[in-house]
Amino acid sequence: MTTNEVIEMFDKYVIANYGRLPRVITKGQGCYLYDNEGNKILDMFPGWAVSGLGHCHPKVVDALRHQAGELLHIDNTFYSEPQGNLAKLLSERAFGGKCFFCNSGAEANEAAMKLARLATEKGKYKFITAEGSFHGRTFATVTATAQPKYHEGFLPLLPGFIYVPFNDIEAMENAFDDEVAAVLIEPIQGEGGINIASNEYLARIRQLCDENGAIMILDEVQTGIGRTGKWFGYQHSDTVPDIITMAKALGGGVAIGAMMAKNEVAEKLVPGKHASTFGGNSLACAAGIAVIEAIEEDDLLQNAIDIGQYTQEKLNQLADKHDIIDHVRGVGLMIGVQLKINGSDIVSKCLENGLRINCTNETVLRFMPAMITTKSQIDDAIEILDNVLSAGV
Ligand SMILES: *Cc1c(COP(=O)(O)O)cnc(C)c1O
């Protein structure tokens, strides 16, 4: 089909709730996408942080082929090895907690918030979340998402949420009372523009939660599974949360979400309290296991640190050259370029020149390359961006 034919089909049959770029992607391999017109695109934002190992990583594809021949899905009436194995691998790489599996980031956050109410004393119900956050699109998670633009048209939202400015210790202290069940924040805000929580901020939240009998939940949906050069974003600090949520890169391209809770919190989630039909699906868990094994076998956490540093260096050189760049910030492979102008034209022009990047919060170009990215691929990306900026936007 031609590009126009596909777009016409979408116009007729697919709800237009996404602003799409006018390309029809037919194949993905490593750091490259291929479209139906034979164009090759260097992907510095693969799968919106889902394809953390790049597209169609051979170890993930092999694991999926094998599992598909054994058992695609078994419901949670039974035990199954892939689910148990994935939980073990995650637990050993985090704080030794227990996992609940679901299918998306929003669902993982829903599970975390429900568990926080279950695991705290009667009367505690409030959730504190941060301005600029993103936690998902279901009613509870969009309420937790403290950005008015995501709320418009959906009022009334759920009661019990308190919003505070991100990284503001005093505001967090003032928001606490004995009705708070949990604090939910991202260690690094992704959609909010790559805003990094300070170690002092995380430590103070930990302390406040302990003093008030509240649960500390970190949303690691974007920061988790190696993105920042550690398995989880919180591991850059000394703070250990009670619950983490993950999704995106966990399945290497297959839909999966997970919530991990400390054992004493996890034990409150007894039969009948929460569930997900597809949660812990054999195919998705086999993908998750392959992702973790590939990261370790190929030393990709180290590559995320090295390539992340290299990318920031190169972007800083661009910042010296181009006045419209204010500064560059990030951790590992989660990098934001703060512009002085709106960045959406830059994203389109990069795509015309064979480079896919993202713009979030209007003025932040987002680079989230796969953990397999090489220096020469970063060089190619920087060259394209340099040319686009030099041509004037
Ligand atoms: C993407 C994202 C979510 C929502 O995940 P879905 O799978 O789209 O439900 C939640 N939190 C963070 C930090 C995210 O980046």
Side-chain angles (χ1 to χ4, degrees):
M1 290 176 91
T2 66
T3 303
N4 279 340
E5 283 168 351
V6 175
I7 291 175
E8 272 168 30
M9 181 167 65
F10 268 62
D11 287 346
K12 217 166 161 185
Y13 298 112
V14 180
I15 292 179
N17 63 315
Y18 300 102
R20 294 179 199 267
L21 298 165
R23 295 292 181 101
V24 178
I25 305 301
T26 49
K27 188 175 166 66
Q29 200 167 38
C31 294
Y32 297 97
L33 290 172
Y34 300 84
D35 71 15
N36 60 332
E37 295 175 7
N39 297 303
K40 181 177 178 183
I41 301 161
L42 177 58
D43 195 351
M44 288 288 130
F45 196 66
W48 207 285
V50 164
S51 310
L53 296 186
H55 298 284
C56 296
H57 191 284
K59 287 178 179 166
V60 176
V61 171
D62 280 351
L64 284 168
R65 287 203 167 109
H66 173 76
Q67 186 61 44
E70 300 294 321
L71 181 64
L72 284 173
H73 174 81
I74 182 66
D75 49 275
N76 285 299
T77 317
F78 295 99
Y79 292 94
S80 57
E81 282 187 33
Q83 186 175 150
N85 282 331
L86 180 57
K88 177 171 187 276
L89 291 173
L90 290 170
S91 178
E92 289 168 353
R93 280 151 193 77
F95 46 75
K98 286 187 177 151
C99 295
F100 162 81
F101 291 101
C102 48
N103 316 286
S104 68
E107 280 176 79
N109 286 329
E110 286 277 348
M113 288 188 277
K114 282 180 74 179
L115 177 54
R117 283 201 180 156
L118 270 184
T120 48
E121 279 168 25
K122 197 160 178 275
K124 292 191 189 293
Y125 69 96
K126 292 180 185 168
F127 298 112
I128 303 175
T129 67
E131 290 167 9
S133 59
F134 186 84
H135 299 295
R137 303 287 199 154
T138 61
F139 260 109
T141 60
V142 87
T143 306
T145 296
Q147 297 197 58
K149 68 177 177 190
Y150 292 109
H151 296 169
E152 272 164 35
F154 300 117
L155 305 182
L157 300 174
L158 264 64
F161 285 78
I162 301 164
Y163 306 136
V164 293
F166 187 63
N167 253 340
D168 183 334
I169 290 181
E170 206 182 303
M172 184 61 76
E173 290 166 345
N174 292 336
F176 257 90
D177 62 27
D178 58 10
E179 292 174 334
V180 172
V183 175
L184 167 62
I185 64 157
E186 295 151 88
I188 303 171
Q189 291 186 335
E191 305 308 303
I194 316 289
N195 307 315
I196 305 162
S198 72
N199 288 347
E200 304 79 67
Y201 186 56
L202 294 176
R204 186 67 182 127
I205 293 173
R206 176 71 277 174
Q207 219 175 21
L208 287 164
C209 285
D210 288 342
E211 287 166 9
N212 291 278
I215 302 284
M216 180 173 180
I217 308 169
L218 289 183
D219 178 340
E220 296 260 13
V221 170
Q222 196 159 141
T223 49
I225 319 298
R227 165 67 46 198
T228 66
K230 304 237 183 220
W231 284 110
F232 297 100
Y234 81 86
Q235 292 166 335
H236 291 277
S237 75
D238 295 327
T239 297
V240 180
D242 300 301
I243 297 178
I244 52 174
T245 56
M246 57 200 112
K248 291 203 165 91
L250 176 56
V254 175
I256 183 169
M259 167 190 74
M260 185 190 302
K262 280 182 179 166
N263 294 333
E264 61 269 30
V265 175
E267 72 187 15
K268 301 290 192 289
L269 209 56
V270 295
K273 286 297 183 198
H274 197 59
S276 165
T277 298
F278 281 105
N281 173 283
S282 309
L283 197 66
C285 287
I289 293 165
V291 164
I292 291 172
E293 287 176 352
I295 289 172
E296 269 168 9
E297 285 161 15
D298 300 339
D299 206 12
L300 295 180
L301 290 177
Q302 188 58 47
N303 200 53
I305 292 169
D306 297 343
I307 295 296
Q309 267 167 10
Y310 186 74
T311 308
Q312 284 211 39
E313 270 167 45
K314 291 281 157 181
L315 287 169
N316 275 318
Q317 288 168 12
L318 281 192
D320 291 339
K321 188 170 163 189
H322 299 282
D323 213 36
I324 59 158
I325 299 180
D326 190 78
H327 70 277
V328 178
R329 56 177 181 262
V331 182
L333 294 174
M334 196 164 174
I335 301 168
V337 179
Q338 179 68 58
L339 302 172
K340 294 174 187 163
I341 58 163
N342 187 303
S344 50
D345 281 354
I346 298 175
V347 170
S348 309
K349 288 194 174 137
C350 283
L351 186 65
E352 283 165 26
N353 290 281
L355 170 67
R356 197 255 179 131
I357 54 173
N358 169 263
C359 176
T360 190
N361 213 12
E362 295 177 7
T363 57
V364 183
L365 295 182
R366 198 161 34 154
F367 277 71
M368 303 239 287
M371 295 173 79
I372 56 160
T373 307
T374 63
K375 284 186 180 170
S376 86
Q377 287 166 334
I378 296 298
D379 290 342
D380 291 348
I382 295 291
E383 192 184 323
I384 295 171
L385 179 59
D386 190 10
N387 290 338
V388 164
L389 294 178
S390 297
V393 275

